């Protein structure tokens, strides 16, 4: 039995624990994330820790008194990490309500750009020498295989002398982070990627230095003359190159946040005492009167008080064409005024604006973890100690068993290459990046297309959904009455005149049906007549006079309802009003809630994806069936009260279905919560972000098949990433141990281990970046 559940699972402890988000500096791999989490969870007062390698963030929940930043850093600094508090967890309610917090585009990726620049400098310092040494190595290997090639132009003594100097620089200057990794391993017992590379390259360097500086010792112990300075140089150089490419690729995965943040206006034109005053956007207060000129960005959310315009909302909502906005309409921060000036009153500022909420939601989602990541996290937690153990065993086996078969000189060469190769090729980075880089890119892609995904769990669940339940009103239909027909009953009146009379009376009413009639008359260019003596009678209708003519607009009486024509239209979900002139029925005006654009195509697309589509509504069966047939939906559950919808979802789940529910997010809230994935159909600025795992801006049903396609593609790429990350280590580690030697007489050179390791992380991130180019259908 499934209980009604919350989709905000990732913050399920937020009511009982304070949560603070920190940027993490010095984190390089999945083992780093595991170390930080393990050490922090061991501290009394910390209830939960979530560390994301891809976003370089740690979310810490305190079960007791929150620890200060200094106390937290005292815990992690000795392991090589630093926590920097994000701008959250400290805002008062008043500050959140009144103070704007414009996201700084320049500072948003400052840390990653600084890290990228640092890696670029390391690459520039290391790669020229690494490339030259690598080419000389290849020359030496090729000349021994192909006798026609000349020998390397340097003697081995000169080559060893030069590479020893270079290797010393690489180890003690360019590769200091790897030495630090060794130090922390022996001091605190923690090991990460830096530890593996550090032990591997330092072991190769130390052995090579001994046999070079002390040739008598080499002869006394019968050690081979071969050195591994070149391995140290090339491995460190290529590791830095791989890390640079990885950081650059990871920076691209978060571009969606940067683009969203870049939509924010820097300034606003405040109208004060009739004068225009330019002020920073973060100084705008609720109630301020603002002017927006053509081509300008709208700084905050508000309501137009004067003027009209065409506004490009595509960057925020994904709406492809500019939309017309007039007096009384809402406007959103970050959208662009295409033509015409207008003034508007600021209604939502700072964190309350639609754009700020979208940015916050996307950031939260990109930092969340999908359930599929758990297996990678468990492996990463024990990965480095296991690799160290495998490397040690390999060294011992080569020195013992290998010596008895091949002789000590040959065995020790293979032992060193195997030991160093294992430590270098076995990198946990690819495992740690496989899931979060795809999640970040996928959620960013969704945000750019008006699909807001609350967390990674919702994205993963949507990929497994096989049944979609759609609410009718506001999801399949527009949720607002529109004129569908005008039927004169008196030969002496035309349809236009009938509508003109009805609109003339209804212009004084605030009823939704009245608004639809007036809107239809204005759209067709009819001039509304002036009426007097307006009277509204609840449950009956309205009436007014045009001169001596009494015009009444009312609902049908019982006898009229029983007429076959009216009854058939009512059973189709249509609404009928009778127009009387001087107490004689002159005609009927038929109103209906019409299908949204793209409904039939969207339903067909979902069916093509193997989905079972169900429409669930409180309407009567005849009306519901009519709408369902128009939309191409074969299965209908009608006459259901809002409080009963969750039980219907529950029943489907008991049948073994994985269910998504799409609704308006208000009266459908229980059903949205019960569904495996809730999809809120948000319209305008009235967005129900808290109601569901996924929110579709503008309530566009065409985004449902797009969201399904995005989730399935994201999960497919995650599975590809995990496959290659596992296969890379499953194949690479045995190769490095010398598993091919008994059959082919080959032992993998650690240089190629370093190149393969550098390529593994880059390949995973690059595969995730493919999500940026997919077309959502």
């Amino acid at each position: 039995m499934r209980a009604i559940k919350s989709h905000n699972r990732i913050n399920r402890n937020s009511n009982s624990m304070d949560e603070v988000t920190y940027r993490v500096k010095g984190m390089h791999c999945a083992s780093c994330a595991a170390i930080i989490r393990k050490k922090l969870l061991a501290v009394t007062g910390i209830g939960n820790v979530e560390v994301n390698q891809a976003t370089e963030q740690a979310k810490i929940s305190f079960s007791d008194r929150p620890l200060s930043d200094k106390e937290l850093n005292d815990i992690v600094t000795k392991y090589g990490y630093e926590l920097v508090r994000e701008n959250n967890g400290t805002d008062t309610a008043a500050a959140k309500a009144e103070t704007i917090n414009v996201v700084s585009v320049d500072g948003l990726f400052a840390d990653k750009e600084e890290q990228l620049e640092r890696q670029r400098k390391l690459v520039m310092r290391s790669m020229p020498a690494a490339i030259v040494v690598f080419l000389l190595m290849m020359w030496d290997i090729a000349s021994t295989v192909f006798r026609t090639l000349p020998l390397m132009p340097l003697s081995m003594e000169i080559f060893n002398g030069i590479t020893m100097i270079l290797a010393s620089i690489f180890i003690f200057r360019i590769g200091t982070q790897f030495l630090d990794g060794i130090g922390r391993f022996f001091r605190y017992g923690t090991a990460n990627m830096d530890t593996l590379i550090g032990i591997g390259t330092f072991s190769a360097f130390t052995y090579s230095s001994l046999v070079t500086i002390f040739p008598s010792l080499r002869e006394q112990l019968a050690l081979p003359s071969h050195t591994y300075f070149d391995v140290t140089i090339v491995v460190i150089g290529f590791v830095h190159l791989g890390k640079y490419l990885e950081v650059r690729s990871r920076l691209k995965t978060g571009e969606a946040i940067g683009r969203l943040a870049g939509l924010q206006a820097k300034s606003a034109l405040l109208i004060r005492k009739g004068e225009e005053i330019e002020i920073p956007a973060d100084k705008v207060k609720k109630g301020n009167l603002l002017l927006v000129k053509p081509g300008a960005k709208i700084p905050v959310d508000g309501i137009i008080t004067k003027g009209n315009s065409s506004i490009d909302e595509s960057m925020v909502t994904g709406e492809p064409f500019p939309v017309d906005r007039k007096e009384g309409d809402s406007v959103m921060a970050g959208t662009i005024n295409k033509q015409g000036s207008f003034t508007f009153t600021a209604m939502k500022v700072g964190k309350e604006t639609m754009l700020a909420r979208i940015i916050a939601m996307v950031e939260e989602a990109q930092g969340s973890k999908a359930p599929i990541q758990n297996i990678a996290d468990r492996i990463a937690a024990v990965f480095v100690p296991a690799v160290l153990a495998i490397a040690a065993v390999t060294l011992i086996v080569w020195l013992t068993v290998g010596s008895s078969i091949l002789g000590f000189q040959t065995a020790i060469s293979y032992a060193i290459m195997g030991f160093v190769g294992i430590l270098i090729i076995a990198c946990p980075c690819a495992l740690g990046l496989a899931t979060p880089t795809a999640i970040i890119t996928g959620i960013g892609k969704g945000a750019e297309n008006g699909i807001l995904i609350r967390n990674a769990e919702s994205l993963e669940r949507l990929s497994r959904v096989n049944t979609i339940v759609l609410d009718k009103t506001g999801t399949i239909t527009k949720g607002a009455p529109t004129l569908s027909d005008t039927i004169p009953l008196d030969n002496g009146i035309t349809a236009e005149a009938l509508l003109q009379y009805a609109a003339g009376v209804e212009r004084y009413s605030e009823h939704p049906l009245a608004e639809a009639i007036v809107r239809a008359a204005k759209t067709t260019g009819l001039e509304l007549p002036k009426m007097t003596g307006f009277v509204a009678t609840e449950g009956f209708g309205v009436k007014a006079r045009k001169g001596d003519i009494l015009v009444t607009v009312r609902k049908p009486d019982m006898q009229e309802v029983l007429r076959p024509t009216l009854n058939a239209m009512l059973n189709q979900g249509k609404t009928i009003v009778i127009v009387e002139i001087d107490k004689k029925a002159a005609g009927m005006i038929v109103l209906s809630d019409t299908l949204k654009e793209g409904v039939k195509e969207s339903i067909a697309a979902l069916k093509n994806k193997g989905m079972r589509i169900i429409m669930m509504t409180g309407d009567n069966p005849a009306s519901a069936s009519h709408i369902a047939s128009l939309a191409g939906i074969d299965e209908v559950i009608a006459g259901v009260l809002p409080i009963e919808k969750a039980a219907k979802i529950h029943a489907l789940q008991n049948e073994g279905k994985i269910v998504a529910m799409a609704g308006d997010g208000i009266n459908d809230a229980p059903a949205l919560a019960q569904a495996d994935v809730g999809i809120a159909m948000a319209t305008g600025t009235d967005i129900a972000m808290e109601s569901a795992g996924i929110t579709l801006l503008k309530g566009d049903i065409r985004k449902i098949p797009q969201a399904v396609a995005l989730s399935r593609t994201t999960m497919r790429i995650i599975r590809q990433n995990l496959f290659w990350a596992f296969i890379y280590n499953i194949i690479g580690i045995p190769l490095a141990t010398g598993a091919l030697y008994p059959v082919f007489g080959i032992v993998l050179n650690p240089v190629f281990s370093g190149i393969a390791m550098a390529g593994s992380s880059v390949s995973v991130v690059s595969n995730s970046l493919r999500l940026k180019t997919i077309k959502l259908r």
Side-chain angles (χ1 to χ4, degrees), residues 321-351:
F321 303 109
V323 293
D324 293 331
R325 292 285 182 253
K326 61 184 184 304
E327 187 176 324
D329 287 345
S330 299
V331 292
M332 292 183 290
T335 56
I336 298 175
N337 181 25
K338 301 297 287 185
Q339 61 183 35
S341 297
F342 64 88
T343 58
F344 75 101
T345 301
M347 302 301 292
K348 292 181 179 180
V349 300
K351 296 178 180 178

Side-chain angles (χ1 to χ4, degrees), residues 739-759:
L740 291 181
Y741 186 81
V743 180
F744 300 103
I746 298 173
V747 176
L748 188 66
N749 191 304
V751 166
F752 298 105
S753 297
I755 294 172
M757 187 274 289

